[in-house]
Amino acid sequence: MIDKEWTSPNHGDRKGRDISMVVLHYTGMKTAEEALERLCDPQAEVSAHYLIEENGRLHQLVREERRAWHAGVAQWGGETDINSVSIGIELVNPGHEFGYRDFPDDQVDALIDLLEAIKDRYQIPRARIVGHSDVAPGRKEDPGEKFPWNALAAEKLAIGPWSGQMPLTLPNEEQALGQLATIGYGVETFGAEACILAFQRRFCPRRMGQGLDQETRAAIAEACEKTGACSA
Ligand SMILES: [Zn+2]
């Protein structure tokens, strides 16, 4: 039980930028307390606006109008100052390093409530509610392949995973890379290989590590089409 009120000193000015994105993370630490300590430690120089415990308890660490420090070197759809334009949400989970596990329903339900409020407040398109690994391919793996994007998609809060359907015409490799960039991935900055893996982790985890195989290209084509339909 965490009964202390946590606030983080680690934030700055949004430099006049509007909020237009949400980035989801996992904490990647053994306990919620450890993660809260770090996110509120001035020496660590990291933070997020919100943290959600596995039981669904929500902590606000930084006010939304301030720029929290969660994304690091990152890019999405040509935007490179992700921290200035986004809200960062940390989900407690030990992550790949300390025993990656499923996100409990209570935690996901609390996230959905929070995202609905944020999406309404800033008119954020669902194509711009993404994972840390999407904006920092090759560098970050969170929130990871166990994250239930389906649950968010069902509430129109994100683009969901691949349906499993093959399109009538498959994009070739070059076209698929172009579509990855259209979805938002920083292919030129982070390289094709890292972006393909980040895409698979998010949209078709069973294809992870398979490169641009047919299924992955089908998934990219589908996500690209949905991005076009969900960007406004
Ligand atoms: Zn992260």
Side-chain angles (χ1 to χ4, degrees):
M1 180 71 196
I2 298 169
D3 46 19
K4 184 178 156 188
E5 277 256 353
W6 293 85
T7 51
S8 176
N10 302 330
H11 54 80
D13 197 282
R14 283 194 185 270
K15 306 174 211 169
R17 304 293 308 277
D18 289 332
I19 294 165
S20 63
M21 277 184 81
V22 177
V23 180
L24 305 180
H25 304 259
Y26 66 47
T27 51
M29 302 192 79
K30 286 177 192 149
T31 65
E33 287 86 348
E34 230 180 293
L36 284 163
E37 296 263 4
R38 178 167 156 80
L39 292 165
C40 298
D41 175 1
Q43 309 251 300
E45 298 189 337
V46 293
S47 61
H49 295 90
Y50 296 98
L51 176 143
I52 304 176
E53 292 182 56
E54 287 180 300
N55 63 11
R57 180 151 178 225
L58 176 71
H59 300 263
Q60 180 164 16
L61 310 179
V62 174
R63 284 181 298 133
E64 289 179 0
E65 62 264 33
R66 300 291 291 168
R67 179 181 185 271
W69 304 339
H70 55 95
V73 175
Q75 189 181 325
W76 191 250
E79 173 65 58
T80 53
D81 187 358
I82 301 295
N83 283 339
S84 282
V85 301
S86 68
I87 287 181
I89 303 174
E90 291 276 357
L91 301 163
V92 171
N93 189 302
H96 293 86
E97 199 175 341
F98 297 111
Y100 188 41
R101 57 193 184 214
D102 287 338
F103 296 83
D105 289 346
D106 286 345
Q107 189 180 33
V108 175
D109 289 347
L111 173 65
I112 286 173
D113 289 347
L114 177 62
L115 285 175
E116 278 177 342
I118 292 170
K119 189 170 185 280
D120 269 9
R121 227 167 0 256
Y122 305 105
Q123 306 300 312
I124 296 175
R126 71 176 117 158
R128 289 175 67 83
I129 297 178
V130 299
H132 198 186
S133 57
D134 293 319
V135 300
R139 212 171 64 72
K140 294 291 173 183
E141 300 183 321
D142 62 313
E145 59 282 358
K146 288 181 190 286
F147 182 77
W149 289 103
N150 257 331
L152 269 55
E155 306 296 331
K156 299 189 165 65
L157 293 170
I159 293 183
W162 181 40
S163 65
Q165 288 180 338
M166 300 298 282
L168 290 174
T169 44
L170 269 183
N172 64 28
E173 298 207 352
E174 194 187 330
Q175 290 165 332
L177 289 178
Q179 291 178 343
L180 267 186
T182 301
I183 295 165
Y185 289 92
V187 178
E188 292 205 355
T189 303
F190 298 104
E193 203 179 329
C195 290
I196 293 163
L197 186 62
F199 174 87
Q200 289 166 333
R201 192 184 295 285
R202 160 82 188 273
F203 289 96
C204 49
R206 287 188 199 157
R207 309 314 303 165
M208 279 175 70
Q210 304 302 308
L212 280 179
D213 63 359
Q214 289 198 5
E215 289 82 357
T216 299
R217 281 182 281 137
I220 291 173
E222 184 182 282
C224 186
E225 198 184 312
K226 287 187 195 161
T227 298
C230 302
S231 294

